[in-house]
Amino acid sequence: MAPHLDAVRVERVWSAGGVVRVEARTRELAVACADCGYGSTRVHSRYCRPLADVAVGGRPVLIGLSVRRLFCDAPGCRRRTFAEQVEGLTVRYQRRSPLVQHLVVMAGVLLAGRGGARLLQILKAPLSRTNVLFHLMCMPLPAAPTPRVLGVDDFALYADTYGTLLVDAESRLPIDPWSGRDAEQLTSWLRAHPGVRVVCRDGSLVYRQGISEGAPDAVQVSDRFHL
Ligand SMILES: [Zn+2]
């Protein structure tokens, strides 16, 4: 029913004040030291770690998980003790289970700050708008594939300071921005991303030079108003 709790021993489940509370403790298994990987079962202490989990029956779930702090006895390891983590249930410094964390990130991706915060409230995992955005910004970006058709243009950052933006002209997704609009940066980007067949640009001679040097075989397209 709750496979992410399989790795721990659930000792008590009860409902109080509209919240489902779960008391659980880790099993007495050897755990690898966070630094050196040496397995340890020698317990330094135990402490209770609160973890918010996904709602059940419309009620928020709070797990009180008893975890061990263990000694690392590996010769040469500088870490004296370390806290155990439970795969699939705990993440270092995180007070939410990975299931809730996934909801938080997905709410941010699909609905951004305000909408994401509203959805999370409905899902009984409330979080402020700014925190939803914080988790969204922490998310690693997937590596963008090199586009077949690239769009390059400049934009004003302020006054006479400009930046360059690269866009996948087929998917219309932005790829890379940088400050400045010189030829060298465009040349080195194109050399580092071989495979661009067509580049759409404005009439800038600088970009024309950058493309000619970075991707000499690419077809350059410029609209009639920029020739
Ligand atoms: Zn160690």
Side-chain angles (χ1 to χ4, degrees):
M1 187 178 139
H4 59 304
L5 294 178
D6 284 352
V8 297
R9 210 165 54 215
V10 175
E11 302 200 309
R12 197 176 155 220
V13 180
W14 75 102
S15 177
V19 177
V20 176
R21 292 184 180 269
V22 178
E23 201 175 275
R25 61 193 279 125
T26 52
R27 300 179 193 280
E28 310 293 320
L29 302 171
V31 180
C33 164
D35 277 5
C36 71
Y38 189 85
S40 170
T41 51
R42 197 158 78 85
V43 179
H44 171 276
S45 54
R46 263 194 184 271
Y47 64 98
C48 184
R49 199 174 153 174
L51 271 179
D53 199 12
V54 284
V56 170
R59 293 175 180 189
V61 174
L62 194 61
I63 302 170
L65 180 63
S66 169
V67 295
R68 294 170 297 170
R69 177 163 283 282
L70 298 151
F71 287 105
C72 178
D73 294 322
C77 181
R78 295 178 64 184
R79 183 176 282 271
R80 210 172 68 83
T81 67
F82 63 94
E84 65 178 332
Q85 303 294 337
V86 180
E87 204 182 329
L89 187 59
T90 66
V91 178
R92 214 171 169 187
Y93 308 127
Q94 186 64 260
R95 285 178 165 239
R96 290 179 207 90
S97 73
L99 287 176
V100 181
Q101 187 59 21
H102 181 66
L103 286 183
V104 168
V105 172
M106 284 300 111
V109 168
L110 298 173
L111 299 166
R114 202 176 301 275
R118 281 186 188 164
L119 177 68
L120 290 171
Q121 194 153 24
I122 293 166
L123 295 173
K124 307 292 180 193
L127 201 62
S128 72
R129 178 177 64 91
T130 46
N131 267 323
V132 172
L133 290 176
F134 170 79
H135 287 281
L136 178 62
M137 298 304 282
C138 288
M139 203 183 149
L141 290 173
T146 298
R148 205 177 61 89
V149 184
L150 179 74
V152 53
D153 207 352
D154 58 0
F155 61 96
L157 280 164
Y158 44 82
D160 57 352
T161 304
Y162 290 88
T164 296
L165 177 65
L166 301 186
V167 177
D168 184 326
E170 290 180 300
S171 69
R172 301 183 179 186
L173 291 173
I175 301 170
D176 225 352
W178 61 73
S179 57
R181 51 176 178 177
D182 53 276
E184 289 74 21
Q185 273 176 300
L186 184 56
T187 300
S188 48
W189 191 94
L190 287 164
R191 283 182 182 155
H193 299 82
V196 175
R197 305 278 300 277
V198 179
V199 186
C200 312
R201 60 163 173 83
D202 61 13
S204 153
L205 295 179
V206 175
Y207 285 151
R208 186 169 78 179
Q209 184 198 338
I211 299 162
S212 301
E213 288 179 16
D217 296 333
V219 174
Q220 298 191 30
V221 178
S222 184
D223 70 59
R224 69 174 75 179
F225 303 106
H226 285 109
L227 281 172

